[in-house]
């Protein structure tokens, strides 16, 4: 929900500003959301944590193991369950009273279009963009230790003559590229991970940085 700089200030004063942070895993969403919540007394909704609690997992690593890989028989069912819970908790967060910051998961862009429109219409969606160095690190980490994730819309493709793991690694680059496009399509504004992690950026300056990206 795009707004002007004046509307942004008024929403904070009226305690009705909702910020939804989107982007790749490990790009700084949780860190930024925590800083905003701490500095400005926003209600923080950590969607990953809410999902893990509901499915009875005590850590994100347990939840990832529960989801499985796309070539495993339990993946499709568990991924669908995960997205249902993601939709439920993200939509609930956009209806919460007061100033709110929503720390989404990397797969929020894969919930249904109607729900995405509701999120967009009820919050300011901020994409924390990854640069090529960030993406290269994600790929290297994944190639070293493949982490279960949601493979949506046939992103995983078994390659003739290659193992399932080799096919998974080959498909991962395409998954990241597709997600990057979907994040851009969903976002009202974009900030880079460098901007938000800059050592000179104090917690109390984050909302001003966000506001500067809005139309005057």
């Amino acid at each position: 929900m795009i707004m002007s700089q004046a509307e942004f200030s008024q929403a904070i004063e009226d305690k009705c500003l909702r910020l939804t942070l989107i982007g790749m895993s490990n790009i700084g969403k949780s860190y930024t959301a925590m800083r905003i919540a701490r500095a400005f007394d926003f209600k923080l909704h950590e969607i990953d944590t809410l999902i893990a609690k509901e499915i009875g997992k005590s850590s994100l690593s347990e939840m990832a193991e529960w989801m499985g890989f796309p070539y495993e028989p339990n993946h499709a069912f568990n991924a669908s369950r995960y997205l249902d819970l993601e939709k439920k908790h993200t939509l609930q967060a956009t209806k919460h009273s007061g100033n709110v910051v929503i720390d989404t998961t990397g797969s929020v862009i894969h919930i249904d279009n109607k729900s995405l429109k509701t999120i967009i219409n009820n919050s300011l969606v901020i994409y924390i963009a990854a640069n090529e160095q960030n993406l290269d690190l994600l790929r290297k980490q994944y190639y070293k230790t493949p982490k279960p994730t949601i493979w949506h819309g046939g992103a995983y493709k078994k390659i003739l003559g290659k193992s399932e793991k080799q096919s998974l690694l080959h498909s991962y680059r395409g998954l990241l590229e597709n997600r990057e496009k979907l994040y851009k399509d969903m976002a009202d504004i974009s900030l880079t991970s460098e901007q938000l992690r800059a050592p000179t950026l104090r917690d109390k300056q984050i909302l001003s940085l966000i506001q500067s990206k809005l139309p005057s």
Side-chain angles (χ1 to χ4, degrees), residues 97-115:
S97 59
N99 290 326
V100 168
V101 58
I102 305 168
D103 173 20
T104 66
T105 80
S107 56
V108 66
I109 30 80
H110 295 318
I111 64 178
D112 65 276
N113 288 334
K114 182 179 178 181
S115 297

Side-chain angles (χ1 to χ4, degrees), residues 116-158:
L116 284 177
K117 288 179 181 178
T118 300
I119 295 167
I120 293 167
N121 291 337
N122 287 280
S123 65
L124 179 68
V125 182
I126 303 164
Y127 170 40
I128 302 180
N131 61 25
E132 188 55 38
Q133 184 178 4
N134 299 141
L135 294 176
D136 187 55
L137 180 59
L138 283 174
R139 288 190 289 265
K140 287 179 179 178
Q141 290 174 335
Y142 193 82
Y143 292 168
K144 183 178 179 180
T145 309
K147 178 183 177 182
T149 188
I150 287 182
W151 292 77
H152 190 266
Y156 168 74
K157 294 180 175 62
K158 178 67 169 66

